[in-house]
Amino acid sequence: MRSLSIFGATGSVGEQTVDLLRRAGGAEVFRVVALTGGRNIVRLAEMARELRAEVAVSADPSGLAELRERLAGSGVAAAAGPEAIAETADRPADWVMSAIVGAAGLVPGFRALRHGAVLALANKESLVTAGPLLMAEAARHGARILPVDSEHSAIFQALVGEDIGSVERIILTASGGALRDWPLENLAKATVKDALAHPNWAMGQRITIDSASMFNKALEVIETREFFGVSPHQIEVIIHPESLIHSMVGYRDGAIMAHLGAPDMRHSIGYALNWPERSHLPVARLDLAQIATLTFRAPDLARYPALRLARDVMDRRGLAGAAFNAAKEVALDRFLAGQIGFMQMASVVEAVLEATDADLGRENAPMTLEDVLAMDHLARVRAGEAARGRAGAD
Ligand code: NDP
């Protein structure tokens, strides 16, 4: 029986993973080692009972009593706290979904690689903050990382049977997010509600806002560089409002391989789950005649400063990804709390990159997981200061 664990099971990607497992036969077909969640104890206990998980772990220690109560008599063990989540990753499983949001997903993914698991990686922050370390760890333990981000799954699929050396460019598609058609001068006044109205994808709250600011695409550009090992100049971003082409690979003979499908994360989650085979997936089939037109436009860097900052991060490399991601997370928190404006998120991140310049390390500077976590901490402090300096300012 195939064994698996889901980190971040109660989130958007986690729920869709559980949906696919249920459709494929659930506990009759899979041995579910561990499910982890955060604050949603009710849902975590429900899914752990349904999938007969060996252990359910919440990131929130204050939820442990309730989790135990809800799992009483089920045979599912309960645990809580960040350390318990990290230890859970030491339990061997054939397939591990890394779908915790944010830098909190880094350590569990790392530890899962150590027992040679196939790591289905939704947590893009892992590659952005510690890409070289993560790829080296996978190689050291003979583990396999499979991308779950729809763009990277698309690129991965467009590369099957091809030589990465013949790739000329990788073209990441972007919906442009909820505010893509707003006049530039109005963006400073955009509210959380405005930024959450994503035109195509139903996702978690944080990634939906990151989509509107294109911080999500900025993370994906860096993720592409780290996962596929291509040069920054080979990575392009194009706005494709229909979100039907999930990304493209351009080869040196001029051919472009595009991956098309409905905007449904169960496609890339299912691809990673079934890899290297393909199985039936419950995703809508495209009616191309009805779609009729696919459109594209170049992104405006004044509207999306995050894309410019991603280039900066790739030039610096070293610990710049960790600083970028942490600063972005704090800036997003402050925007969600109404303390800074939509366009101020980028200025907070830029200020942190500048302030941290001397500490970032360079292209080939050696770094450890501890360095990454220390930079994450430092950048959060600096981003907090930068955000305070901007609160209330225009
Ligand atoms: P959600 O916010 O919907 O879910 C996040 C999950 O992580 C939940 O299970 C949450 O628990 C848990 N969690 C939150 N904070 C912590 C913490 N500090 N420690 C441990 N667990 C925690 O996120 P998404 O599913 O949208 O995204 C997950 C990851 O996948 C992100 O890295 C995102 O960028 C990436 N991704 C998401 C896509 C999408 O369509 N949603 C598409 C491509 C990539 P709880 O809810 O119980 O509090």
Side-chain angles (χ1 to χ4, degrees):
M1 215 180 203
R2 196 168 172 214
S3 60
L4 53 84
S5 292
I6 306 174
F7 289 81
T10 51
S12 164
V13 170
E15 283 280 6
Q16 294 177 83
T17 309
V18 169
D19 176 62
L20 290 177
L21 296 185
R22 185 184 297 122
R23 290 166 188 266
E28 303 302 321
V29 173
F30 302 100
R31 180 167 73 83
V32 177
V33 176
L35 298 178
T36 83
R39 295 207 193 110
N40 195 345
I41 304 289
V42 175
R43 189 67 195 113
L44 179 61
E46 265 171 17
M47 49 174 62
R49 275 180 176 273
E50 181 195 342
L51 292 173
R52 289 182 235 141
E54 290 170 17
V55 60
V57 191
S58 162
D60 179 8
S62 68
L64 183 58
E66 186 188 348
L67 185 61
R68 281 209 178 110
E69 201 176 303
R70 289 184 179 273
L71 290 173
S74 66
V76 183
E83 188 48 38
I85 292 201
E87 282 167 10
T88 301
D90 294 339
R91 293 180 174 231
D94 301 326
W95 190 88
V96 174
M97 167 55 81
S98 166
I100 289 176
V101 66
L106 179 60
V107 172
F110 241 86
R111 285 173 67 160
L113 288 174
R114 292 185 186 152
H115 53 74
V118 170
L119 185 69
L121 190 66
N123 179 270
K124 58 190 83 187
E125 297 87 348
S126 299
L127 278 170
V128 171
T129 58
L133 287 176
L134 199 77
M135 299 307 279
E137 193 75 357
R140 190 173 309 125
H141 298 284
R144 180 87 205 202
I145 302 177
L146 296 176
V148 170
D149 228 341
S150 60
E151 291 78 358
H152 303 79
S153 177
I155 296 162
F156 188 83
Q157 293 178 55
L159 281 166
V160 170
E162 303 282 356
D163 172 10
I164 190 81
S166 60
V167 171
E168 201 167 61
R169 56 192 182 137
I170 290 181
I171 308 164
L172 290 168
T173 50
S175 69
L179 310 175
R180 70 177 174 224
D181 297 320
W182 279 40
L184 186 57
E185 59 278 14
N186 291 359
L187 287 180
K189 302 276 179 224
T191 64
V192 170
K193 189 160 171 262
D194 296 328
L196 278 176
H198 196 285
N200 306 328
W201 293 90
M203 306 184 287
Q205 185 190 53
R206 300 181 72 86
I207 190 172
T208 304
I209 307 259
D210 282 349
S211 173
S213 63
M214 278 231 208
F215 265 109
N216 182 46
K217 205 53 55 184
L219 295 176
E220 288 174 8
V221 166
I222 302 166
E223 189 185 359
T224 301
R225 192 243 188 285
E226 298 297 345
F227 189 80
F228 298 102
V230 292
S231 304
H233 75 266
Q234 290 177 283
I235 307 169
E236 300 170 19
V237 173
I238 187 127
I239 294 184
H240 167 48
E242 296 84 6
S243 295
L244 296 176
I245 297 182
H246 297 145
S247 276
M248 299 173 251
V249 178
Y251 290 93
R252 64 178 165 217
D253 60 358
I256 293 179
M257 298 292 174
H259 177 283
L260 282 80
D264 185 331
M265 279 303 292
R266 291 175 305 175
H267 183 94
S268 52
I269 297 168
Y271 182 80
L273 182 64
N274 298 317
W275 179 88
E277 288 163 17
R278 286 186 187 269
S279 294
H280 175 87
L281 291 174
V283 297
R285 272 44 180 171
L286 296 185
D287 179 340
L288 293 172
Q290 199 184 2
I291 293 161
T293 317
L294 297 176
T295 59
F296 305 94
R297 60 176 114 135
D300 170 3
L301 294 188
R303 179 179 286 272
Y304 300 115
L307 291 181
R308 173 175 54 77
L309 295 175
R311 299 275 157 202
D312 198 16
V313 169
M314 289 189 294
D315 287 345
R316 297 173 187 212
R317 233 177 157 208
L319 294 167
F324 178 75
N325 180 65
K328 191 278 299 174
E329 287 190 17
V330 172
L332 176 58
D333 288 338
R334 299 302 160 98
F335 173 64
L336 285 168
Q339 292 164 359
I340 61 170
F342 182 75
M343 294 305 276
Q344 286 176 324
M345 288 191 283
S347 72
V348 165
V349 175
E350 186 158 21
V352 171
L353 284 176
E354 277 165 15
T356 319
D357 203 17
D359 318 314
L360 290 177
R362 293 286 152 193
E363 177 88 15
N364 296 316
M367 67 181 191
T368 63
L369 195 51
E370 288 67 37
D371 295 333
V372 172
L373 296 174
M375 175 52 77
D376 180 87
H377 178 73
L378 177 66
R380 279 172 202 276
V381 173
R382 289 192 171 148
E385 288 162 6
R388 265 194 298 284
R390 282 164 178 77
D394 239 0

